[in-house]
Amino acid sequence: MSIAHVALWTKDIERIAAFWVGFLGAEAGAVYESRRRPGFRSHFLTLGAGPSIEVMEGPWLAPPEGPEVERAGYAHVALSLGSAQAVDDLAARAERQGLLVSEARWTGDGFYEAVIRDPDGNLIEITI
């Protein structure tokens, strides 16, 4: 068994897709617009050979809480960059753009990682 894709709700599909494509180098598929559920739109984003991320929007979503509020659902997505230098480089870029939450460091459980935040406030760990 393997994960086919992970889905993420957003209030602004273009903004989130642009973040994943522009900042993280993802490839975005065509926008899907549902005829069965008016207002539902989605994009599949891919990074390397891993599972895709489906970003979805719909007018029925509740207003977002502040980006610092932890909420039920997935806590974060972790992206493996392949080297400590790649983590350092992306963390530095994130800091310059005001997206860095936690600097690159070795964690107590043995991971070298930094944490960034997407425009909707979702956490993304970048690790080796």
Side-chain angles (χ1 to χ4, degrees), residues 33-84:
E33 296 191 25
S34 177
R35 286 181 279 173
R36 184 184 62 80
R37 195 170 187 198
F40 175 83
R41 298 172 24 160
S42 73
H43 253 309
F44 277 93
L45 307 169
T46 22
L47 288 164
S52 297
I53 297 171
E54 181 183 13
V55 290
M56 310 177 305
E57 78 177 7
W60 50 82
L61 291 181
E65 298 178 20
E68 66 285 345
V69 174
E70 291 186 87
R71 56 198 181 269
Y74 288 103
H76 63 265
V77 171
L79 303 177
S80 176
L81 304 183
S83 72

Side-chain angles (χ1 to χ4, degrees), residues 8 15-16 19-20 23-24 65-71 74-77 79 90-91 93-95 97-103 114-126:
L8 179 65
R15 181 179 69 164
I16 290 298
F19 168 80
W20 279 87
F23 191 79
L24 297 170
E65 298 178 20
E68 66 285 345
V69 174
E70 291 186 87
R71 56 198 181 269
Y74 288 103
H76 63 265
V77 171
L79 303 177
L90 193 57
R93 187 170 158 219
E95 184 170 32
Q97 294 186 20
L99 303 171
L100 188 66
V101 173
S102 180
E103 295 179 355
V115 180
I116 64 175
R117 191 179 303 278
D118 78 11
D120 278 347
N122 299 298
L123 298 177
I124 301 170
E125 286 183 358
I126 52 174

